[in-house]
Amino acid sequence: MTVTYNFAYLDEQTKRMIRRAILKAIAIPGYQVPFASREMPMPYGWGTGGVQVTAAILGPTDVLKVIDQGSDDTTNAVSIRKFFGRTAGVRTTTRTAEATVIQTRHRIPETPLRENQVIVFQVPIPEPLRFLEPRETGTRRMHALQEYGLVHVKLYEDIARHGHIATTYAYPVKVDGRYVMDPSPIPKFDNPKMSDSPALQLFGAGREKRIYAIPPYTRVASLDFDDHPFERWRHHCRCALCGAEESFLDEVITDDHGSRMFVCSDSDFCESRRGEATTSPEAVSLASDTETHHG
Amino acid sequence: MATLSPGFADPVLAAQATFRGVMDAVARPCTVVPLIDTPAAPPPLCAAAAAIALTLFDHDAPVWLDPPLAQVSDVAAWIRFHTGAPIVTEPAVAAFALVSDPAGLRPFRDFAAGTLENPDTSATLILQVTTLEDGPALDFIGPGVAGRATLRAAPLPNGFAEQIIANRALFPRGVDLLFATRGSVAALPRSATLVGEV
């Protein structure tokens, strides 16, 4: 006899508490709703907030995708996918287009999201003002009064020191013109994808016990200055595997002599492109390297 | 003593399906979302509102009943038995309000709107309506709405347009509204802004 859990691991009372927090988070876009985060069978920092949000929304007909830094194949993604495969019996996928719920650590997929999808972000530090004001009472008051001058000072100090805004990830955004929000440590390349997205975006921070949300079709503006407008950033080259010129790239060190290559951080995007490329004659030589997944 | 009608046949999966319906409704204001599994509840509590109650209520969420519901002891007994939620008579301390007669509802300002620092500590009002399709058209913009969305719920609370404008002005404070009718739900979170003729 195997040990059985409640559907999706969490008990029903916990799910209700998280569900009430999610509804308030959606009603107040960008505001961090405190919730009674539970201990999960994985350490803090491994996505306990995202896992609790996913567990509270997941149903038996959902198709779950989990990514870690864009990849479906890294430890964190594999273990969370297995966790829900085991405790909820849901179908899992690596294909962005097939998923109804996508749990992510630090990326938004390259494939545009759709209306019937929910993306759940794992968040380490949900408070964008935390390194400027260590006290929770202080940051709460700052959010209440929209006292966001300090964030702009922080960005300005970047400009004074480096000549440009040097913040590259967890780049602060303002949601629907009201709350300044930490988008989680996604590269700022992904920030524009949050604005006016057809998909619902939920954020869970387990250790810090906060849930927040961006409803679909909501304006999300990356903070900037008139003379230093927000700029996306990616390595200025093509993916070494699929040749993509628009995707976010990871630098991969290939030996101990400084050789390196740049490849898509979104593994599903890259594999799909290579899969399509096999139909064109000039790409046949590449195909033999790539027939590993989706068997 | 009257026998209590049952709750969800499958409490775990029905609550999940109902929650996803409500979550979709709140994320896309004015959209009518079907609720598949609704229990038989003691009247005048409607099945859709009862499903939402079973999904969201528990001992941590005090519930206020409007007078027509409060008059029927079976309703309070059903809610207490199936959810364990405390029933309160003071609207300002309720996390949820169940309203069977929206036209007779007391003003929104009697319910908790949260504080500027903790705006999530506000009430969610669950209004039982007879229609989500044939009521007067009210257009809304805001988060969750691509362009404009039209609410067609009826009956509505007295002075609804003025009340909803005042509620929006409180943002990020304010109450959130759920409209429940036979087999479906729609929502008007506090972030929705009424536009057009009033």
Side-chain angles (χ1 to χ4, degrees):
Chain A
M1 220 16 232
T2 53
V3 178
T4 55
Y5 294 98
N6 188 32
F7 180 82
Y9 186 78
L10 290 178
D11 61 279
E12 289 303 295
Q13 204 278 323
T14 298
K15 286 187 195 169
R16 273 192 298 274
M17 173 270 296
I18 294 173
R19 286 166 178 168
R20 289 194 296 261
I22 290 173
L23 295 183
K24 288 300 176 191
I26 297 170
I28 318 166
Y31 166 75
Q32 303 160 52
V33 181
F35 81 110
S37 178
R38 300 298 195 236
E39 289 224 18
M40 298 301 285
M42 60 190 73
Y44 287 138
W46 284 68
T48 53
V51 164
Q52 289 178 78
V53 171
T54 299
I57 68 173
L58 206 62
T61 57
D62 275 313
V63 180
L64 178 69
K65 171 183 166 81
V66 185
I67 52 174
D68 171 5
Q69 302 267 18
S71 171
D72 294 276
D73 306 327
T74 47
T75 314
N76 197 210
V78 171
S79 61
I80 292 172
R81 201 159 55 229
K82 271 193 183 161
F83 175 76
F84 283 115
R86 188 172 297 170
T87 59
V90 293
R91 197 154 78 78
T92 58
T93 183
T94 60
R95 311 304 300 262
T96 301
E98 284 175 10
T100 57
V101 175
I102 301 170
Q103 182 171 329
T104 176
R105 175 178 175 272
H106 306 186
R107 272 313 307 278
I108 298 174
E110 305 289 356
T111 308
L113 301 180
R114 298 187 318 267
E115 282 211 343
N116 62 352
Q117 295 179 313
V118 181
I119 182 164
V120 178
F121 294 77
Q122 302 172 197
V123 183
I125 311 246
E127 179 51 74
L129 309 173
R130 181 59 70 229
F131 293 111
L132 306 168
E133 167 54 64
R135 287 167 302 180
E136 175 68 12
T137 48
T139 54
R140 253 179 204 277
R141 174 64 56 87
M142 289 161 80
H143 283 295
L145 302 176
Q146 289 187 268
E147 177 73 53
Y148 293 134
L150 267 185
V151 190
H152 278 101
V153 170
K154 163 88 167 47
L155 294 176
Y156 172 74
E157 282 176 350
D158 265 10
I159 296 170
R161 199 169 296 159
H162 307 286
H164 63 278
I165 298 176
T167 306
T168 55
Y169 65 95
Y171 190 105
V173 295
K174 197 169 214 183
V175 182
D176 196 41
R178 178 57 178 84
Y179 281 99
V180 165
M181 189 195 92
D182 185 328
S184 86
I186 59 172
K188 66 178 178 179
F189 175 85
D190 283 342
N191 273 23
K193 296 177 189 169
M194 304 189 121
S195 191
D196 219 29
S197 170
L200 171 63
Q201 302 172 76
L202 301 175
F203 299 77
R207 182 188 53 216
E208 303 290 323
K209 302 176 171 50
R210 296 290 183 274
I211 287 171
Y212 52 105
I214 303 173
Y217 307 115
T218 299
R219 194 161 41 94
V220 179
S222 302
L223 299 183
D224 61 0
F225 299 97
D226 288 344
D227 54 346
H228 284 273
F230 172 80
E231 283 175 348
R232 284 179 105 174
W233 184 87
R234 67 187 287 279
H235 290 289
H236 295 289
C237 54
R238 296 161 64 116
C239 170
L241 298 177
C242 76
E245 292 175 322
E246 297 301 318
S247 66
F248 187 76
L249 302 177
D250 282 341
E251 181 180 357
V252 180
I253 307 295
T254 52
D255 58 28
D256 56 0
H257 303 295
S259 305
R260 58 183 188 168
M261 64 196 277
F262 293 95
V263 298
C264 290
S265 132
D266 184 336
S267 59
D268 167 58
F269 176 79
C270 196
E271 282 168 18
S272 311
R273 280 177 51 87
R274 281 180 279 155
E276 282 163 20
T278 57
T279 55
S280 63
E282 64 270 30
V284 167
S285 63
L286 203 62
S288 58
D289 302 330
T290 60
E291 286 171 354
T292 47
H293 296 281
H294 318 305
Chain B
M1 190 185 150
T3 52
L4 281 170
S5 57
F8 287 133
D10 185 336
V12 174
L13 298 185
Q16 187 277 333
T18 305
F19 169 70
R20 278 293 277 276
V22 173
M23 183 178 83
D24 277 351
V26 176
R28 300 167 204 281
C30 304
T31 307
V32 179
V33 180
L35 295 180
I36 295 146
D37 197 343
T38 55
L45 183 61
C46 85
I52 297 168
L54 292 180
T55 302
L56 296 175
F57 294 5
D58 59 28
H59 56 82
D60 282 338
V63 176
W64 179 86
L65 303 176
D66 78 340
L69 287 172
Q71 276 165 20
V72 182
S73 62
D74 277 1
V75 170
W78 190 87
I79 291 169
R80 278 204 197 91
F81 179 78
H82 287 296
T83 73
I87 310 249
V88 296
T89 53
E90 175 55 49
V93 300
F96 291 96
L98 267 177
V99 180
S100 64
D101 174 26
L105 179 64
R106 58 199 305 162
F108 292 170
R109 65 169 178 273
D110 290 355
F111 297 92
T115 63
L116 269 181
E117 277 152 28
N118 294 284
D120 57 300
T121 55
S122 59
T124 302
L125 314 185
I126 303 165
L127 310 183
Q128 295 186 182
V129 293
T130 53
T131 179
L132 286 171
E133 260 132 44
D134 304 325
L138 293 170
D139 284 355
F140 288 88
I141 58 171
V145 178
R148 273 180 186 216
T150 307
L151 181 75
R152 287 188 163 277
L156 292 171
N158 276 329
F160 182 72
E162 291 77 15
Q163 289 210 67
I164 214 74
I165 290 168
N167 190 56
R168 181 67 181 83
L170 292 176
F171 193 88
R173 301 168 64 231
V175 296
D176 302 309
L177 307 181
L178 297 177
F179 301 91
T181 191
R182 271 181 313 282
S184 47
V185 64
L188 213 50
R190 70 194 78 177
S191 58
T193 304
L194 182 64
V195 290
E197 92 283 22
V198 171

